[in-house]
Amino acid sequence: MVVLSGRAVGRATLARQMLVGRAEVPVVEAVGRLVGMQGQEAKHPYVGLWSRVVGFAEGDLDRAVADREVVRGTLFRGTLHLVTAADYLRFRATVAPVLEAGLRMLKERAEGMDPVAVVAAAERILKKEPLTFTEVRDALQAEFPAVNERALGFCTRMMVPLVVYPTGVRWGWPANARFTPAEAWLGKKLHRKEEQGELIVRYLQAFGPATPADFQTWSGLSKAKPVFDSLDLEVFTDDNGKTLYDVPDAPRPDPDTAVPVRFLPEFDNLLLAHAKRERIIADAHRPAVFTKNLRVKATYTVDGLVAGLWTTEKKRGVATLTLTPFGRLLKRDRVELEREGTALLGFLEPDAKTYEVVTGS
């Protein structure tokens, strides 16, 4: 069996993530290649696409959303994702067991709640007009006064197929966005059959080579190994003897392939898509990136690995990107980060008068 070094595995994933070199593809195709992008906050997928797609402009994604080719809705791991409309319709039923199981998190707050009745009421309420979740909870509370309002909202979020309603603001959606039924918004019915095997193939095309545990971490689904074994996949081992699966003929570049520096947004799926994440971040650096309150900070990569954090701010017309490296930066890497960082600032703050890239402690 062929052994893939850690560096080879990392290069393979980076190539599929369009991070070895930006891809010259339409934005809908890019989102599809990634099988969606973590979208807890609306801005993050825009940054992720800027780092991956040649000449990406904010309006490219805005148009895809307005044309209903791309949607933002609750999907993998029970979190908001930006996905193609086709993939939302195709895979919503596949991840439904994860979303339904999420109700167990409510524990005593779910006392007295009938999920079937709540779903029916929520669907009726949301059919009239898009609503924020505060408005949904208020309307449901009027019908189920004895049930915890947070439980009513969470049940709706997990059980009712909804997409976030775009409003034309910058980054597509406001912080307190409205939601609307997916089928009504897209004018198509959800695919009713679970397609876990197909989803595994799509996952490997975006994040492979990988293990069943990796897929389970990314999707939230369980008991994936029998499905992996039923598919026509190539099998490798890593440096530690662990079995890795991959789709035939997938890109696996030379381990010594040069990789440019790249800036990744908060919650980028590349940092969330594997049970073991050494291919992208060293274990020693994880505590600095993954916070106790479950945030994933914005990072930058050098030679294909997370090498530090980045933040931006704009004051009095000056846009500043601050790098917080995890170790000493070589001069050539610093120069490349400054060049790429300045371009990122131009994307994020097009109206700034001056751009600065600085290194913090």
Side-chain angles (χ1 to χ4, degrees):
M1 190 177 296
V2 175
V3 177
L4 295 179
S5 67
R7 191 174 173 89
V9 170
R11 289 299 191 265
T13 303
L14 290 170
R16 300 166 205 202
Q17 286 286 305
M18 298 174 278
L19 292 170
V20 170
R22 285 183 170 92
E24 197 164 353
V25 295
V27 66
V28 179
E29 182 179 337
V31 174
R33 281 194 192 185
L34 298 168
V35 209
M37 308 179 75
Q38 180 87 11
Q40 286 299 96
E41 294 182 19
K43 175 181 176 180
H44 299 153
Y46 285 83
V47 177
L49 288 168
W50 179 86
S51 287
R52 290 172 165 95
V53 176
V54 173
F56 173 76
E58 197 176 319
D60 298 339
L61 181 53
D62 292 341
R63 283 188 291 274
V65 171
D67 292 342
R68 309 191 188 196
E69 295 179 295
V70 172
V71 296
R72 185 170 164 234
T74 301
L75 207 60
F76 309 118
R77 304 185 298 278
T79 60
L80 283 173
H81 273 69
L82 186 84
V83 296
T84 67
D87 281 348
Y88 185 92
L89 293 167
R90 184 71 175 173
F91 295 122
R92 177 58 174 72
T94 302
V95 300
V98 178
L99 307 182
E100 294 167 8
L103 296 185
R104 292 198 293 266
M105 295 170 55
L106 294 171
K107 298 181 180 179
E108 65 275 0
R109 285 184 296 175
E111 184 177 351
M113 183 175 71
D114 178 356
V116 175
V118 171
V119 166
E123 289 176 336
R124 184 184 72 251
I125 291 165
L126 283 156
K127 187 177 182 179
K128 299 176 183 177
E129 60 178 332
L131 296 172
T132 68
F133 260 91
T134 298
E135 293 168 333
V136 171
R137 287 195 299 265
D138 289 346
L140 289 172
Q141 187 81 85
E143 297 196 28
F144 306 97
V147 180
N148 180 285
E149 66 168 5
R150 293 287 175 180
L152 293 169
F154 189 74
C155 179
T156 301
R157 188 182 296 272
M158 294 293 106
M159 301 284 286
V160 182
L162 302 173
V163 296
V164 192
Y165 186 78
T167 55
V169 299
R170 193 177 187 203
W171 311 128
W173 299 271
N176 190 25
R178 294 180 291 166
F179 288 73
T180 195
E183 290 186 335
W185 176 251
L186 296 174
K188 296 179 180 179
K189 294 293 184 181
L190 295 172
H191 183 68
R192 301 298 176 184
K193 182 183 174 184
E194 292 186 19
E195 302 288 356
Q196 188 168 340
E198 183 180 337
L199 185 59
I200 286 171
V201 170
R202 291 287 303 283
Y203 166 78
L204 291 173
Q205 288 171 337
F207 297 101
T211 68
D214 291 328
F215 170 78
Q216 291 172 180
T217 296
W218 169 79
S219 66
L221 293 162
S222 61
K223 300 178 181 177
K225 189 175 185 305
V227 187
F228 269 73
D229 290 336
S230 71
L231 298 171
D232 181 20
L233 300 174
E234 294 194 51
V235 181
F236 304 91
T237 59
D238 65 12
D239 289 335
N240 300 313
K242 184 177 296 183
T243 301
L244 298 172
Y245 296 80
D246 206 1
V247 288
D249 301 321
R252 287 183 284 273
D254 187 290
D256 293 325
T257 299
V259 176
V261 302
R262 283 292 180 258
F263 287 89
L264 301 177
E266 293 181 53
F267 296 105
D268 195 281
N269 261 353
L270 180 57
L271 276 75
L272 295 166
H274 302 92
K276 299 291 185 180
R277 297 164 189 177
E278 299 96 331
R279 72 183 66 195
I280 186 63
I281 182 170
D283 287 342
H285 298 151
R286 287 183 61 170
V289 176
F290 298 87
T291 69
K292 292 181 180 179
N293 62 351
L294 303 181
R295 292 196 70 84
V296 182
K297 295 181 181 180
T299 60
Y300 62 84
T301 63
V302 174
D303 193 29
L305 291 171
V306 169
L309 310 174
W310 65 272
T311 58
T312 62
E313 65 174 353
K314 180 183 173 186
K315 289 184 179 179
R316 295 186 290 276
V318 179
T320 304
L321 184 149
T322 300
L323 305 173
T324 304
F326 294 151
R328 188 174 69 88
L329 284 173
L330 298 176
K331 183 178 179 179
R332 66 172 182 271
D333 296 330
R334 187 184 302 275
V335 169
E336 192 178 358
L337 284 164
E338 289 176 355
R339 182 172 58 247
E340 183 79 357
T342 300
L344 175 59
L345 282 173
F347 172 74
L348 294 173
E349 303 291 351
D351 297 329
K353 297 176 181 178
T354 307
Y355 301 109
E356 296 181 356
V357 179
V358 301
T359 302
S361 58

